[in-house]
Structures are given as structure tokens and as C-alpha cells.
Amino acid sequence: MRFTKDHEWVELEGDVATIGITAYAAEQLGDVVFVETPDVGKAVKSGDGLAVVESVKAASDVYAPISGEVVEANGALADAPETVNAEPEAGGWFARVKVADPAEYEALMDRAAYDAFLQTL
């Protein structure tokens, strides 16, 4: 699993990356009440808006940490947005993206680097 400074995570299996937000991000948001996932087939570039999360505190964009094409969206979040809080780094994923450039994944922070980054906040 790799991480961004915007608190997204990416898990790569073959050439498909599963993307979500970290436990830290979910905690900062508070109770998630709505999630808008991307359409399958949408092309995204690293840094593009990928999804929208609304909580009792605020609405936030989730940015694509990696470029590619959306091949699956987590439709279960429409009926159970609280999954983002309950399982932010597992069942609360937003989308799966067919990766255009695997080097983008390698450039992201590993868990140790992300944990060290959190200590600076």
C-alpha cells in the first residue's frame, strides 16, 4: 500500500490500483454521510478529482493518486457511506483504476514514510 500527502491510499494488484482514503483522513472528516464515486471508463490523471466525500463536517474531494482508467467503482458506498469510517483502508475504497504508469505508484510514500509525514501535521 502506498500513500499521498492528501491522505489517499493505493494498493496495486497487477496493473489495477484500488484507491481510498486513509484512516487519518476518515477520522478528520467525521461521520461520512455521502460518497460520489467516479464513472467506470473515466480517464484520470494523477491529481485529478476522483470522488467526493461528504461528512457531517464538510465535503471533500478525493484526488487520483495515480493516472489511468476507472475500471470499477465501489457502488456499495451509495447505500453504506459509513463504510469509509468503519473500514477506510479496506472495504471503504472508492475506485479501481487500470494504471497507466506503474512508476507513479513507486513514487508514492510507503507506510513508514506516511506515518512519519503524519507526525509533522
Side-chain angles (χ1 to χ4, degrees):
M1 196 175 272
R2 298 293 178 118
F3 303 88
T4 71
K5 289 184 176 182
D6 290 323
H7 311 289
E8 288 96 14
W9 60 263
V10 181
E11 192 165 45
L12 193 61
E13 293 178 34
D15 64 351
V16 176
T18 302
I19 300 168
I21 61 171
T22 65
Y24 174 85
E27 184 180 310
Q28 296 301 306
L29 279 170
D31 293 336
V32 173
V33 296
F34 175 78
V35 177
E36 181 182 316
T37 56
D39 293 330
V40 170
K42 178 180 180 177
V44 293
K45 289 191 171 129
S46 178
D48 285 354
L50 180 70
V52 177
V53 181
E54 291 182 19
S55 70
V56 292
K57 292 182 181 178
S60 299
D61 288 325
V62 175
Y63 299 101
I66 201 161
S67 302
E69 180 184 333
V70 176
V71 294
E72 186 179 355
N74 190 350
L77 296 180
D79 294 326
E82 65 277 4
T83 305
V84 173
N85 294 111
E87 303 175 37
E89 294 177 20
W93 61 275
F94 295 108
R96 293 197 167 112
V97 172
K98 184 171 174 54
V99 177
D101 182 2
E104 288 182 341
Y105 178 80
E106 297 303 324
L108 299 172
M109 292 181 280
D110 63 15
R111 174 75 68 179
Y114 180 70
D115 287 346
F117 168 70
L118 289 179
Q119 298 303 312
T120 69
L121 301 180

